[in-house]
Amino acid sequence: MIKDIVWLMLSTLQRTFRKKSSWVLFFGLPVAGILVSTLLYGGAGQPLLRVGVVNGDGSERLAADTVRMIGNLKEVKLVEMDAGELRNELASGNLDTGIVLERGYSEGLRSGKPGHVGIQSAKGAAVTSYIKAMLNQYMDNISAIGRIAGSDQPKFDKLYAGFQSANFKLVVNTVTDISGAKRMSYQSIGFLIMFMMTSAVNLSELILVNRENRTYFRILSSPISARTYVLSNIFVNLCVMFAQILVALFFLIYVFKLNVGMAIGPMLVILGLFSLTSVGISLVVVAFSKNSAGAGALQNFIVMPTCLLSGCFIPLEIMPNAVRRIADFLPQNWVLESFEKLQSGASLGSLWFNMMLLFAFGLMFFLIASYKFGRNNDTRNFV
C-alpha cells in the first residue's frame, strides 16, 4: 500500500508541476501576497507634519521665538505665510495644520495670560494633538515666567534668557519601531492562508478531474484501491502546502527581511496544523461537488468570504462586532490570532487552545467528507 501511495504521489506531482502555471499558482502567488503586503504597509512610517504659521504679532521677540520653537520640532516642516495663503493651503490639502499667532500674543505671554493663538486643520485632532501639546507646554512655561516677574521687565528678561539657554541636557534613546514590519508579516500570513486553501482545493479537485477524464476508473481497475488513491491525494496536498509554507517564510524573513516578531518553529507548527484543516475543507468541497466546475464555484463561495471575514485581507479590529463574532467560528481567525499572540511574546505552549481548535476543525472536516463519500449512492461518482 505504501509503495502504491508513493507511486501515485510522484505521478500526481509530476503531472501537476509539468506545467509552468502550476509553479506560479502554488509558489508565485504566496510570494506575490507578501509583496502586496510590503507595498501596503511599507510606507507606514512617521511622515513629516506640514505646518503653516501666520505671525500676526509682527517682530515681537516672544512670537518669533515661538515660531522658531515650532520649526525645530522633529518631523515638522514649517512654512511661514499670511492668513489668506494659510486658508488656501489647508483647503487644498498641502498643509496638515496651521497656527495663527494673533496681535497681542507676545504681550499675553509677558503678562502671564496666554492667548491670541489659534490652530486650524481640516484633518482634526489626529494631526493637531502633537503641535497643540508642544505649543501649550511652551506657552505655559513663558507665561509662568511672566507671572513671576510681574511688571519687572529686567527680571523677566533674565528669567527668560535662562529659560532659553537652559544648561540641562536631554538624553534621547531611539527605539526602532517594528510595528510596521509586524503588520506586514501578519498580513502576509493572511494572504498565505488564502493561497493554501485555494491550493488544497485545486489539488483535491484532481479527484473530480481524473474521474471526468476516466483516469480514476483506469486506476481502480488495477490493484490500487480507492482509499489508497485518496490517501495519495491527501499526502500530495500536505507536501505541496508544506513547501508553500517554507517558500513563503523564506521570502518573508530572508528575502524581504521583515521582522516577524517570532521564531520560525512556532510558525511552522501553527501553519502545519492549518494545512490539515485546509485539506479537510478541500475534501468537503470535492465531496459535495458533482464535477470540477461545481467544485470551483463552491471554492469561491467558501474560501474568499471566510478569509475576508476572518481578517486575512482587512484587520479584524476595524470590523463591526458582529463580524468579529462570526470570525470566532472560522479556522483562519484562530491562525491569525495565534500569530498575533506569538508576536506579543506568548509561547507556543500557551496557545494549546488555539492548536486544539485547529486540529478539531481539521478532524471535523475530514469526518464530514468521509460521511458524504460513504453516503453517496453512486459509487462511480465518489470514492
Side-chain angles (χ1 to χ4, degrees):
M1 180 178 178
I2 297 178
K3 183 179 179 181
D4 292 335
I5 290 176
V6 173
W7 180 81
L8 286 171
M9 287 177 61
L10 294 176
S11 177
T12 302
L13 289 172
Q14 184 180 10
R15 286 187 292 109
T16 300
F17 291 100
R18 187 183 301 165
K19 298 178 292 184
K20 294 181 180 180
S21 59
S22 298
W23 291 92
V24 175
L25 175 65
F26 293 115
F27 301 110
L29 290 181
V31 175
I34 298 175
L35 181 60
V36 170
S37 298
T38 304
L39 295 176
L40 287 176
Y41 296 97
Q46 179 67 39
L48 283 176
L49 189 64
R50 301 164 298 177
V51 180
V53 172
V54 177
N55 186 358
D57 211 15
S59 59
E60 293 290 337
R61 181 177 60 163
L62 295 182
D65 289 345
T66 301
V67 173
R68 191 178 304 111
M69 181 276 297
I70 298 172
N72 290 334
L73 293 175
K74 288 187 176 181
E75 310 299 341
V76 170
K77 181 181 179 181
L78 183 68
V79 181
E80 292 192 55
M81 56 186 64
D82 59 37
E85 290 176 330
L86 179 64
R87 286 192 297 270
N88 293 333
E89 293 296 305
L90 286 173
S92 61
N94 294 328
L95 290 178
D96 296 308
T97 186
I99 300 173
V100 179
L101 304 181
E102 302 171 354
R103 184 173 299 277
Y105 168 80
S106 299
E107 180 59 32
L109 288 182
R110 172 64 186 82
S111 62
K113 298 177 181 179
H116 302 281
V117 59
I119 298 179
Q120 304 173 6
S121 175
K123 300 181 180 179
V127 297
T128 61
S129 56
Y130 172 61
I131 292 294
K132 184 180 292 185
M134 300 303 295
L135 184 59
N136 285 340
Q137 182 182 22
Y138 182 82
M139 292 170 59
D140 288 343
N141 290 333
I142 304 300
S143 60
I145 293 175
R147 288 192 295 270
I148 293 173
S151 59
D152 189 345
Q153 185 63 37
K155 184 177 182 181
F156 177 86
D157 293 337
K158 181 179 179 180
L159 292 174
Y160 182 70
F163 170 75
Q164 291 291 83
S165 60
N167 56 7
F168 62 86
K169 293 183 179 180
L170 177 64
V171 179
V172 178
N173 294 320
T174 302
V175 179
T176 303
D177 183 8
I178 61 173
S179 60
K182 287 185 176 182
R183 185 73 252 178
M184 281 188 279
S185 60
Y186 177 90
Q187 211 62 56
S188 298
I189 296 300
F191 283 111
L192 176 60
I193 287 173
M194 181 195 69
F195 291 125
M196 286 176 63
M197 296 181 69
T198 302
S199 300
V201 175
N202 288 337
L203 288 171
S204 295
E205 194 178 318
L206 291 176
I207 297 175
L208 297 173
V209 173
N210 289 336
R211 191 198 67 201
E212 291 170 353
N213 61 22
R214 315 300 293 178
T215 301
Y216 167 70
F217 299 107
R218 289 195 295 271
I219 292 175
L220 291 190
S221 64
S222 67
I224 298 175
S225 64
R227 179 177 300 176
T228 300
Y229 175 75
V230 174
L231 284 175
S232 70
N233 184 276
I234 293 174
F235 289 136
V236 166
N237 235 324
L238 293 175
C239 288
V240 171
M241 277 190 289
F242 192 71
Q244 271 186 323
I245 295 170
L246 292 178
V247 169
L249 294 184
F250 174 80
F251 274 87
L252 185 68
I253 298 173
Y254 297 106
V255 177
F256 294 97
K257 298 186 183 301
L258 295 180
N259 187 349
V260 295
M262 68 190 88
I264 297 180
M267 297 177 71
L268 292 175
V269 172
I270 298 297
L271 290 173
L273 285 172
F274 181 72
S275 66
L276 292 174
T277 303
S278 298
V279 174
I281 293 174
S282 68
L283 291 177
V284 170
V285 170
V286 170
F288 283 88
S289 303
K290 294 185 178 180
N291 49 50
S292 56
L298 192 57
Q299 170 188 335
N300 294 332
F301 180 76
I302 293 176
V303 175
M304 294 298 291
T306 56
C307 286
L308 178 63
L309 293 174
S310 59
C312 292
F313 310 137
I314 303 173
L316 199 61
E317 57 265 21
I318 67 174
M319 295 186 181
N321 290 330
V323 176
R324 297 184 190 182
R325 286 194 289 268
I326 295 174
D328 291 337
F329 297 93
L330 301 175
Q332 301 99 309
N333 173 59
W334 293 99
V335 176
L336 294 173
E337 182 181 299
S338 299
F339 278 105
E340 193 171 15
K341 290 182 177 179
L342 289 172
Q343 287 180 332
S344 300
S347 63
L348 182 64
S350 64
L351 302 178
W352 63 269
F353 181 74
N354 296 41
M355 292 188 288
M356 288 294 294
L357 273 179
L358 288 174
F359 180 79
F361 272 118
L363 181 62
M364 177 186 70
F365 289 127
F366 273 109
L367 292 176
I368 292 174
S370 299
Y371 176 80
K372 180 62 178 177
F373 283 145
R375 295 289 295 179
N376 196 279
N377 294 325
D378 191 351
T379 58
R380 296 174 302 171
N381 286 341
F382 295 100
V383 293

